[in-house]
Every structure is written in C-alpha cells, then in structure tokens.
Amino acid sequence: MERLSLSQLRPDVRNKEIVVRVIQKWKRVSQKEPIQLYGMKMILLDEEEQLIQASIYKTLVSKYDKEIKEGHVYKFSKFKTGPNYGIEKVTTHPCRLFIEFSSKVEQHRELPIPLYAFRFTTFDDIIHGNVISDQYFDVIGEFSEYYNIVESKEGYRRTKIDLIDAENQKMTCAVWNTYCDDITNIVTNYAKAEERPILIIQCVTINYYEGDVSIQTSRGRTKFYVNLEIHEVAEFKARRSVARADAEGSLRLTGATSDENGELPSCKLKSLQEIKTCDKAGEFITVVTIIELDSNVLWYYNLCTAC
C-alpha cells in the first residue's frame, strides 16, 4: 500500500497509509446532562511537521479508544478523507481524516516526529482581528494574573487568567468548566516559584464581548503546557527578559558594549523576520536561540575578545 505524507492527502483518498504521531486526542460530548457521546477527535503530526484533524464516529469510539494512545506513533491505513469543512476547524489542512470500522491502526516504530506541534498566534494579530473566527490556534505567554472561579445557575464554571507576551501586551483568556481545575493546579504548583511560569495554551478561540477582544478555552480540545523545555519557550523567555528590561529603560549587555558603562545605543528589539523585511539601515537588537551548529561550513571569523 502506498504511503503518503499529510501534505499529499486530498479529499476522497482511499487505500493509502500514513505514519503519524497522535499529539492530541479528545472525546466530543454534549455540554448538558445527560452527557451524550458524539465521537472522538485527534490531531495527527507527521515527519514533515504537517498537521491534520482526524475523526472517529461515536459507534467506533469503544473500538479505537484504548488502542490509540496520545503521544504514540501509528500507521493508519484504509481510512478515508474529506474536505475540512465545519465549525470545528482545529488545523489549516484542507482535508480531514475519518477512521472507519475497516480502518487499520498499527503501532509503529519511533520516527523523528516531534512530541509537540504548535501554531502560535501573536497577541497583536488577535487584537487587530487577523484571526479567522472559526479557527483554533495556540498562544504563549507569561502567566500574569488569576481570577476567582464563578459558577452560573446552570452549573457552568468560569474563571479568567491574564497572559503577557514578549512585547508586554496583555491578553485575557476565559477558562471554562473542568479547565478551571487545571488553572487552580497551576496556581498552586507555582505559587512560590521565583519566576512566573510560561504558559502555552493549545486550541483556543477568539472571543468578542462588549467591544473587547480576548480568547477562551474550547470544549475538550484545549490543553495547557507549563514551562515546556522546547526552543519556542526558551526564545520567548529571552525576548520577554529583553522587553522587560527595555520597558524599565535599563537594557544592558555584558561584554562587548558601546561605552565604558556597558550601555547600548538606543536600539529597537526586532525579530529576524522583521530585520529581513526592513527597508532601512539601522541598529537593532535581536534575541535568538541557536538550534544547530553547521560544522560543514568552512568559513569563520575571529571571536570578539571582549564578549
């Protein structure tokens, strides 16, 4: 059977196979009592770091629920695909994958597929409306503030948290129902930490209320990650430190500096992408994470002895 990458999948594909990691799995249930099961959803990731959403019909959940474990790598075959329509668009892939009764799911040897895959949306894009309303997305921020949990007459629980991004912008996230317990645990575990935790919230939606823009958790799909040891978090921490120091008007570097007091000239913090697209010469500060050293490149320059 021919193996395809996720980028090669098109609607109405059959008799093909894929090898992917299940990075997220949840059951889709009704909001009100009695709880009704509507099916099971998954987010799949392949070697090319492409994502696709997969669905399992409610009558087949008992068949596949124990067999498929979050975080593991599987070979899926005899599935079908369809257009990625509907209001629950968790990925931007043009297709969705459907697991049927005749589908085959086999655990596969570990491939170099990442454990996580995030598609971060900036607070600036959220605030300025550059987000598709029916699209789920991920955010990263420094945990700033936590509000008391309130409960409605209908039994819904709700709290709010504030996040700060690397540019000192604030974003409020409404947290619903069982996710309130996750936030309570995070607050308890990090109450005495020297630094505020860096929080990644996966699968949130945009929320408009009385002219304000915020984000909110989504039923069953949202997941919280605290202080993950990944390069995105390391880069965020570095940018956050620089932005905080810049806001206080005391940005310094140890080693090579512009004067004897170690003061830098008035420079603007920019990302690499911003520098690439900049059409004017200037002096900028950028914060990066070195993810790999290419030892095959034969050119070099002498290291600055003042650094």
Side-chain angles (χ1 to χ4, degrees):
M1 188 175 296
E2 183 184 7
R3 180 176 299 176
L4 299 179
S5 65
L6 294 185
S7 63
Q8 294 175 306
L9 291 181
R10 298 292 182 268
D12 299 321
V13 165
R14 287 184 177 273
N15 298 320
K16 306 294 181 183
E17 68 178 36
I18 57 173
V19 176
V20 291
R21 187 185 300 278
V22 179
I23 63 169
Q24 199 169 347
K25 184 183 87 167
W26 70 92
K27 292 178 182 177
R28 186 168 175 265
V29 297
S30 59
Q31 283 190 331
K32 298 181 179 180
E33 298 286 348
I35 299 298
Q36 297 182 34
L37 178 65
Y38 295 143
M40 193 164 74
K41 306 287 185 180
M42 298 180 292
I43 301 177
L44 310 178
L45 177 71
D46 70 0
E47 280 187 279
E48 297 179 352
E49 298 190 26
Q50 295 292 315
L51 293 167
I52 194 169
Q53 178 176 335
S55 298
I56 297 176
Y57 301 109
K58 64 180 181 181
T59 55
L60 300 177
V61 171
S62 59
K63 172 179 170 64
Y64 291 108
D65 188 22
K66 293 183 178 179
E67 185 177 356
I68 300 174
K69 293 179 173 58
E70 194 172 281
H72 290 212
V73 176
Y74 296 93
K75 180 173 72 175
F76 289 87
S77 58
K78 295 185 178 180
F79 52 83
K80 74 172 185 178
T81 60
N84 191 12
Y85 295 151
I87 60 174
E88 296 181 338
K89 193 176 284 188
V90 182
T91 74
T92 57
H93 198 290
C95 301
R96 292 191 187 192
L97 189 145
F98 298 92
I99 306 298
E100 302 179 300
F101 183 83
S102 58
S103 299
K104 292 190 67 177
V105 181
E106 302 173 73
Q107 210 162 358
H108 199 270
R109 60 183 175 83
E110 286 292 319
L111 291 178
I113 301 175
L115 289 172
Y116 310 102
F118 300 110
R119 299 295 182 264
F120 291 118
T121 297
T122 65
F123 290 3
D124 197 59
D125 280 340
I126 297 169
I127 292 169
H128 291 93
N130 299 326
V131 179
I132 302 173
S133 59
D134 65 345
Q135 182 71 56
Y136 295 90
F137 53 91
D138 311 328
V139 294
I140 181 171
E142 182 182 274
F143 199 146
S144 173
E145 194 165 351
Y146 166 67
Y147 299 81
N148 291 330
I149 298 174
V150 296
E151 187 167 342
S152 69
K153 294 179 181 179
E154 295 80 12
Y156 298 126
R157 292 189 300 152
R158 180 179 179 271
T159 185
K160 294 189 300 180
I161 61 172
D162 288 340
L163 301 177
I164 304 295
D165 70 4
E167 283 71 40
N168 284 322
Q169 291 191 99
K170 184 181 82 169
M171 178 60 59
T172 298
C173 178
V175 180
W176 293 92
N177 298 320
T178 57
Y179 295 121
C180 292
D181 299 328
D182 294 330
I183 295 300
T184 300
N185 291 334
I186 294 171
V187 172
T188 302
N189 293 336
Y190 291 89
K192 297 182 179 179
E194 294 182 0
E195 297 181 348
R196 292 174 177 175
I198 305 303
L199 193 62
I200 293 175
I201 313 180
Q202 191 172 43
C203 286
V204 296
T205 58
I206 197 164
N207 182 40
Y208 299 101
Y209 182 71
E210 295 183 348
D212 293 329
V213 181
S214 61
I215 56 177
Q216 62 181 351
T217 57
S218 55
R219 274 191 302 147
R221 308 165 194 84
T222 299
K223 200 164 185 179
F224 297 96
Y225 299 89
V226 185
N227 290 343
L228 272 185
E229 293 184 358
I230 58 176
H231 72 88
E232 292 95 336
V233 172
E235 180 181 350
F236 178 88
K237 286 182 177 180
R239 289 176 59 84
R240 180 81 185 104
S241 297
V242 173
R244 188 185 294 112
D246 193 34
E248 295 170 355
S250 59
L251 184 60
R252 293 172 176 268
L253 287 182
T254 301
T257 55
S258 61
D259 61 29
E260 60 183 7
N261 297 319
E263 294 289 345
L264 283 169
S266 178
C267 299
K268 186 174 182 181
L269 180 69
K270 284 182 176 290
S271 67
L272 291 178
Q273 183 60 34
E274 290 171 328
I275 294 174
K276 287 179 181 178
T277 57
C278 185
D279 58 357
K280 294 182 180 180
E283 294 182 333
F284 307 112
I285 298 171
T286 187
V287 179
V288 299
T289 300
I290 299 173
I291 59 174
E292 188 177 1
L293 294 176
D294 189 352
S295 59
N296 295 318
V297 178
L298 299 181
W299 68 268
Y300 69 94
Y301 61 91
N302 292 326
L303 182 67
C304 175
T305 57
C307 293

